[in-house]
Amino acid sequence: MKTTSESTIGIVGAGIGGLVAAIALRRAGHDVIVFEQAKQFARVGADINLTPNAVRALDGLGVGEAARVTAARPSHRISRTYDTGEETSRLEMADTAEQRYGAPQLTIHRADLLAALADMFPNERVALGKRAEKIAADERGVSLSFADGTDARVGALIGADGIHSCVRTAMFGAESPRFTGIVAYGAVVPADRVAGVPNLGAFTKWWGPNPQSQIVTFPLNRGKDVFIFATTPQDSWHLESWTAPGSVEELREQYVAYHPEARALLDACDTVLKTALYERDPMPAWTKGRMALLGDAAHPMLPFMAQGAGMAIEDAVVLSRHLEGVAMADLPAALQGFETARIERASQVQLGSRGNNWLREGGNADWVYGYDAWAVPLATPAMAAAA
């Protein structure tokens, strides 16, 4: 592997935001290296919803076509009342969304999207097994020390390392997330096992008796499977992990009051994963000198607007546009411009996700779905200085 130096931009985290940033920054003319703590890429993680704003950003990188190979295209976005099944909103997606926003909605396994992204970035520029333990910045660059005893030096560092970001801790100190009192379940069932349930090709949200209770379903693998994401109040489980197994019996018990069509999907589950949900307030800053955060490291949000991946992808594209043609000496100001351009939107989505009322009774989705990360105005140095 090429020795890192102060002419290189380092990225911590080879997740969705990290890889999109790596591809985009390399296209913008920068030498990039990605540090990933996992020793190998594995098929782990949840299935994700990419709304048109995210898909259009990926299309601009040339990744969208590969993502479409395994993804499903939900026909609608439907809101239903948990017990009566009454529809309270229905938005056409698929071709209608593509005509309106320039891209469709895609639902895809996280691993399939990561594979499509990894194919577009040189393998030799991804350093696996690199868990950062110490990060120190100065006026010329950033030094990293890893758990395997190795070190690296880069000219700037992007923290794309998720909700438990070590880069964020190095920049701003340890955080104190609040447990919401909500747990989430995730499961996948074959579509042919629930063939009698209507709307399997749609993104459907069953709104429960309180803001903490819901079931969301959407198609996967070109409609061959159905993903189930459900949340409910519970104070006895505090583990924040998307890989911890849960109980199928407990899952079904939590939603006995739901409509038979929703319960039929839960009855088809063989296994389920379970995680506690924690909330964080919007951060007042994402950048500090030669370091910056993006995605969940900058604005970890509850999943109720399904915009976590989308915001990370938007961040990465807008970051690359601010850094295009910028000399390493001028990177701190460019990073500040990125923050100025993105922080208001991401914070708005973060707070909206916490409120969990997005499109419950219909409404206009344009402010989210219509955002074009490739075309939004960049922040000028004066705007960044005034922020």
Side-chain angles (χ1 to χ4, degrees), residues 132-176:
E133 290 192 329
K134 184 178 180 181
I135 299 171
D138 54 46
E139 292 184 356
R140 295 184 56 187
V142 184
S143 299
L144 301 95
S145 298
F146 301 103
D148 64 359
T150 61
D151 300 296
R153 176 78 175 173
V154 293
L157 187 68
I158 309 301
D161 48 341
I163 55 176
H164 302 298
S165 170
C166 64
V167 181
R168 182 181 60 225
T169 299
M171 293 169 65
F172 302 115
E175 62 161 4
S176 299

Side-chain angles (χ1 to χ4, degrees), residues 43-46 110 237 239-246 272-275:
R43 193 174 178 83
V44 297
R110 180 176 182 271
W237 180 283
L239 177 62
E240 188 177 32
S241 169
W242 288 105
T243 59
V272 66
L273 302 179
K274 182 179 179 182
T275 184

Side-chain angles (χ1 to χ4, degrees), residues 41-60:
F41 287 116
R43 193 174 178 83
V44 297
D47 302 282
I48 57 175
N49 171 36
L50 299 175
T51 48
N53 48 305
V55 177
R56 187 167 52 253
L58 292 174
D59 284 344

Side-chain angles (χ1 to χ4, degrees), residues 32-120:
V32 181
I33 185 167
V34 181
F35 304 107
E36 167 57 40
Q37 66 179 359
K39 294 183 178 179
Q40 61 183 12
F41 287 116
R43 193 174 178 83
V44 297
D47 302 282
I48 57 175
N49 171 36
L50 299 175
T51 48
N53 48 305
V55 177
R56 187 167 52 253
L58 292 174
D59 284 344
L61 277 182
V63 183
E65 184 176 350
R68 285 166 170 78
V69 172
T70 59
R73 287 166 50 111
S75 60
H76 297 80
R77 190 195 189 284
I78 304 172
S79 290
R80 300 184 69 179
T81 303
Y82 78 102
D83 51 356
T84 65
E86 177 191 2
E87 285 192 14
T88 56
S89 73
R90 175 182 281 254
L91 294 180
E92 290 190 21
M93 299 303 291
D95 291 345
T96 299
E98 189 155 16
Q99 293 165 9
R100 185 176 183 89
Y101 304 116
Q105 178 184 20
L106 299 178
T107 48
I108 187 173
H109 193 286
R110 180 176 182 271
D112 291 335
L113 178 55
L114 286 174
L117 293 169
D119 284 345
M120 294 196 64

Side-chain angles (χ1 to χ4, degrees), residues 302-319:
L302 295 174
F304 297 128
M305 285 179 65
Q307 286 297 316
M311 291 300 105
I313 292 166
E314 289 182 4
D315 285 347
V317 169
V318 175
L319 172 68

Side-chain angles (χ1 to χ4, degrees), residues 51-53 56 77 93 101 358-359 365-371:
T51 48
N53 48 305
R56 187 167 52 253
R77 190 195 189 284
M93 299 303 291
Y101 304 116
W358 167 242
L359 297 178
D366 290 358
W367 75 272
V368 176
Y369 296 168
Y371 182 93

